[in-house]
Amino acid sequence: MAAAGSIGLWEAATGIFFSGDAIYDALFANKADTEAQWAAHRRIYDPIRTPVAHVVGNHDCWTGPGSQGDPLGDKVLTLQQFGLEKGYYSMQLGRFWKLIVLDSIERAGDTVDRTAVIDAFLTDGLQPIGGAEMPEFVVVIVAAVAA
């Protein structure tokens, strides 16, 4: 009988995936309330030592009172909190998986667009990491935005 670790694509845990809306609800909150929500998020996630992959959710983006014209408005504060330069990125998870995170959040008037327009090019996320060959399996994740 084969050991569990030798069957199929079994691997030890290599990361945590958070699928958006880490806080609620920066869409309509003021700056102080939005920053308080992010502080609560950091108290939970900062102690985690496993890599965490975040998708930007529409409720994560500060578009509430005072956000227009503020340098931290829209996705800026969110990207800062997640430690990201842009909302789309890729990361290698173990030997078999490459996670590609797409950014589906765009500004539309006074709030973020809920039509999930993809602003990333898949080819950007499909580049090999460090010259390595592409993994056998690829996982593509798109931020789901409620209509």
Side-chain angles (χ1 to χ4, degrees), residues 64-85:
S67 63
Q68 287 192 12
D70 189 296
L72 294 177
D74 294 333
K75 284 189 266 191
V76 177
L77 180 58
T78 305
L79 295 176
Q80 184 181 79
Q81 294 297 316
F82 290 159
L84 299 173
E85 293 180 26

Side-chain angles (χ1 to χ4, degrees), residues 62-130:
W62 177 44
T63 58
S67 63
Q68 287 192 12
D70 189 296
L72 294 177
D74 294 333
K75 284 189 266 191
V76 177
L77 180 58
T78 305
L79 295 176
Q80 184 181 79
Q81 294 297 316
F82 290 159
L84 299 173
E85 293 180 26
K86 54 190 174 187
Y88 64 95
Y89 59 95
S90 66
M91 64 188 292
Q92 189 74 37
L93 296 173
R95 297 179 317 158
F96 298 109
W97 303 98
K98 183 167 184 178
L99 178 66
I100 301 170
V101 177
L102 303 178
D103 185 353
S104 63
I105 305 300
E106 287 297 326
R107 181 83 177 179
D110 293 336
T111 189
V112 291
D113 188 2
R114 293 175 176 83
T115 59
V117 176
I118 303 301
D119 71 353
F121 296 101
L122 279 173
T123 54
D124 188 47
L126 289 173
Q127 300 303 312
I129 297 174

Side-chain angles (χ1 to χ4, degrees), residues 4 21 24 28 45 54 75 78 80 105-106 109 133 140:
D21 293 346
Y24 192 88
F28 306 107
Y45 280 90
H54 286 279
K75 284 189 266 191
T78 305
Q80 184 181 79
I105 305 300
E106 287 297 326
E133 292 184 24
V140 179

Side-chain angles (χ1 to χ4, degrees), residues 13-34:
T14 54
I16 297 171
F17 174 71
F18 197 94
S19 62
D21 293 346
I23 65 170
Y24 192 88
D25 185 6
L27 284 172
F28 306 107
N30 61 34
K31 188 174 188 176
D33 289 345
T34 300

